[in-house]
Amino acid sequence: MKYFDEYRDPKQAKEFIREIHKITTKPWAMMEICGGQTHSIIRSGIDELLPDKITLVHGPGCPVCVTPLELIDKAISIASRVEVIFCSFGDMLRVPGSKKDLLTVKAEGGDVRIVYSPLDSVKIAKENPDKKVVFFGVGFETTAPANAMAVFQAHEQKIDNFSMLVSHVLVPPAMEVILSSPDNRVQGFLAAGHVCTVMGYTEYEPLAKKYQVPIVVTGFEPLDILQGIYMCVKQLEEGRFEVENMYKRSVRREGNIPAKNLIQKVFEITHRKWRGVGEIPQSGLSLREEFVGHDANLIFGLSDYSAQEPEECIAGLILQGIKKPNECSEFGKKCTPEHPLGATMVSTEGACAAYFRYRSFEGK
Amino acid sequence: MTNKNFTTTCPLPIEDYPNVMLAHGGGGKLMKNLIEKMFIPAFSNDILETQHDSSVVEISGTKIAFTTDSFVVNPLFFPGGDIGSLAVNGTVNDLAMSGAKPLFLSAGFILEEGFPMIELWRIVSSMKAAAEKANVQFITGDTKVVDNGKGDGIFINTAGIGLVETPLEIVPKSVQSGDAILVNGDIGRHGIAIMAQREGLEFESEIESDCAPLNGLVQNLLDENIEIHCLRDLTRGGLASALNEIATSVNRQIEIDESVIPVREDVHGACEILGFDPLYVANEGRMIAFVAPSDAKKALEIMNKHEFGNGSVQIGAVTETRSKLVTMKSTIGATRIVDMLSGEQLPRIC
């Protein structure tokens, strides 16, 4: 199959696996940043085929998982209002807030809609001038350009009933938190291909140098990931720590300049709390002064929200690569996709969900 | 028949779900839970507990299959079908999955005030054509109209009866270790066709629903004396849910091979974009057949000759292992489990 099968070819996969075995002499731990990569790894069973010496640590790159509980509660509060049409990407709807999730709001009569693009919600706002239309703007650098475009267009077209509840996060500051932690065990990174498609990878060069870690910009198909691992192991074995680009079919060093400019125009960098991790300085995006008229946070006056995570949930440790999902005492017991304690069990990119779906042999 | 499991208090803890969620009808774990904890204990009897697509009863020496299904699809019209053809084929297929020859259907229409008569006529015409194609007759019906805003245009319920002439008992409990698992073509097309139409997604070529009656295909297998142990049509919840249901009811591990599961390129592409797994996407003209391994080759030949079985392949087998798991060998050679989803698949962020 065009554009799929060539990246899932079993023969080539076996060759990569053989080569990785050949060059690995020492134990190495590397982190795949993106939850999409985690799912691809677990789904195709890549980790089972690697040398025992190589440990894949699952990273924080799941936008649903790192969105703070308070923000989910805010979203639920906004979505419950009669004058609101609340629009979101699908996989935010099942994420548990302190008391309920957005799907429950929908079942209770709230107008909660799944959209495929933030621009769809601008259209909904245009068609429903008597309603307040709110888009849940979460995600990493990958979704930032489209979200920026939605706000920009609404602003230009004076669609004043459109606003965005923004909780954007940025990858490099999170990597720095992981690398500077005393518990850190990550020696190399597979950077997220989609994020780098937008941002390029110049931001990673000082990180590689400062912490002496190889960073390989990697795609999402099994062969992409195997090649990324191969390149990362090779650097580690040779004592190199460079930023390399495995995902050349999509990523350029400078990234997508128009997309970056648009992000820059609409958003500014801010401190941001990450679910399970805590506040990371300069790790998020919020709307610039010019666009505050579209900031749902201000429009609905929801500044002081605080919420308590369930004590048993170790999602924070999992997102930082310190623990694996199956090391959690509640995994598959008190915490399942039907009754999740944390977002990592819900999202299509969450590490716990990946383990539960593809690995919970004893869980049934 | 009385049932000691049945009590007058609600068997589903209210604090779990005080309200019905969409996922309670999504064909996944939540729906299974609702059926097993509320409906089955309430209506309990031996026939209901076979939990097959249709139930077979013997009346005066004649075996009759009986089933019912409701159709609430949005959009009403989609490439490859509409709510009318679905309402016929869905019930015909449920009957065929018991090895029955579908004969008679009922139609119940719940119409919303204001629904365009011309669209109703299109739907009824489509039902007529589908019934002729499947060789069944509508012999009774009902019409109700609800206030504007209290329905979604049109809901259709169909029930059907069919005659079981085969001596085979085609039910989940007949499945045996070693059974070959066959599928009658590429999977996931119906769900993607609906999704594309509903959400205005455009692909290079139009993806058509696989909506089709399967009674002819099943009859051909029966006519050639294929030792069929179980049949299951793949509807909501897709291939993965159907396999999980069978694995659970027979307490045997099912193993399938990812590299042979047929998925059309455009469907695959759409799934990648939306973050869906084709194993869980809905079908309306696909079934899996559990047949004796010695008959697998012949069964595939028969299926491939039929217009709705062109592209049939063996995707796996039932193992000796007493576990209720479905496992899949990935394209690169590792093994993972294929679980049942808790609700519907939701499109991902990026």
Side-chain angles (χ1 to χ4, degrees), chain B residues 13 31-32 57 75 91 104 111 125 138 183 208 214 220 223 230 240 250 271 278 316 325 342:
Chain B
M31 187 172 107
K32 192 165 168 265
V57 287
T91 292
F104 302 112
L111 307 172
S125 305
F138 279 101
V183 67
E208 288 199 341
L214 299 174
N220 287 1
D223 289 346
C230 185
V250 294
C271 284
L325 291 175
S342 60

Side-chain angles (χ1 to χ4, degrees), chain A residues 12 41 50 115 167 249 259 291 344-345:
Chain A
Q12 282 196 54
I41 288 166
L50 292 176
V115 293
S167 179
R249 67 179 186 276
F291 300 98
T344 42
M345 184 53 104

Side-chain angles (χ1 to χ4, degrees), chain B residues 55-129:
Chain B
S55 288
V56 176
V57 287
E58 195 165 325
I59 304 168
S60 309
T62 306
K63 284 206 281 183
I64 302 283
F66 180 48
T67 192
T68 184
D69 207 339
S70 299
F71 299 84
V72 295
V73 66
N74 170 19
L76 300 173
F77 304 93
F78 48 85
D82 54 60
I83 190 172
S85 57
L86 272 186
V88 173
N89 291 332
T91 292
V92 163
N93 292 346
D94 282 347
L95 292 170
M97 294 307 112
S98 292
K101 190 175 166 188
L103 296 174
F104 302 112
L105 303 186
S106 72
F109 295 94
I110 297 171
L111 307 172
E112 185 183 353
E113 181 187 23
F115 186 69
M117 203 56 91
I118 188 79
E119 290 195 12
L120 181 58
W121 173 243
R122 268 179 78 189
I123 291 164
V124 169
S125 305
S126 162
M127 289 172 80
K128 173 178 146 64

Side-chain angles (χ1 to χ4, degrees), chain A residues 1-2 4 8 10 43-45 89-91 94 106 108 116 138 143 338 348 356-358 361 364, chain B residues 17 22 29 195 199 244 258 265 268 272 277 280 325 330-331 334 336-337 342 344 346-349:
Chain A
M1 190 181 294
K2 220 174 164 188
F4 294 117
R8 290 173 186 180
R43 189 173 189 278
S44 55
F89 292 124
D91 50 2
R94 219 179 278 149
K106 184 165 181 270
E108 289 168 356
Y116 296 86
V138 298
T143 48
E338 290 85 62
T348 47
F356 191 90
R357 254 178 92 174
Y358 304 134
F361 281 79
K364 277 201 145 182
Chain B
Y17 294 101
L22 267 179
K29 279 184 192 165
M195 180 69 80
E199 307 299 342
N244 268 289
E258 186 171 22
E265 187 176 336
H268 199 152
E272 287 289 327
D277 185 337
Y280 298 93
L325 291 175
S330 76
T331 46
R336 68 165 170 100
I337 66 165
S342 60
E344 288 172 270
L346 297 175
R348 68 170 168 210
I349 291 184

Side-chain angles (χ1 to χ4, degrees), chain A residues 226-295:
Chain A
L226 283 168
Q227 192 183 344
I229 293 170
Y230 173 80
M231 288 165 75
C232 195
V233 172
K234 199 154 191 308
Q235 284 204 48
L236 287 163
E237 289 283 345
E238 291 170 3
R240 289 184 291 127
F241 37 87
E242 296 158 17
V243 178
E244 288 182 311
N245 183 12
M246 173 272 132
Y247 202 40
K248 286 196 177 122
R249 67 179 186 276
S250 175
V251 175
R252 285 175 299 179
R253 181 169 179 269
E254 69 280 12
N256 180 335
I257 306 275
K260 279 163 79 174
N261 288 343
L262 188 63
I263 296 175
Q264 177 81 17
K265 185 169 176 56
V266 175
F267 293 119
E268 61 190 2
I269 291 176
T270 179
H271 303 325
R272 178 72 71 200
K273 192 176 167 190
W274 294 49
R275 187 168 193 173
V277 179
E279 185 168 284
I280 304 179
Q282 308 287 307
S283 70
L285 297 174
S286 61
L287 290 170
R288 284 189 184 276
E289 185 70 36
E290 190 189 343
F291 300 98
V292 290
H294 300 284
D295 189 340

Side-chain angles (χ1 to χ4, degrees), chain A residues 35 38-39 42 58-59 62 65 312-319 323-332 335-337 340-360, chain B residues 339:
Chain A
T38 305
H39 267 253
I42 307 296
H58 314 311
C62 160
C65 305
E312 309 93 312
C313 184
I314 63 162
L317 299 175
I318 289 166
L319 289 167
K323 293 232 170 168
K324 289 210 173 191
N326 50 2
E327 290 166 15
C328 174
S329 61
E330 298 304 335
F331 177 80
C335 185
T336 62
L341 290 176
T344 42
M345 184 53 104
V346 192
S347 162
T348 47
E349 296 179 71
C352 298
Y355 273 65
F356 191 90
R357 254 178 92 174
Y358 304 134
R359 288 288 163 78
S360 62
Chain B
D339 197 11

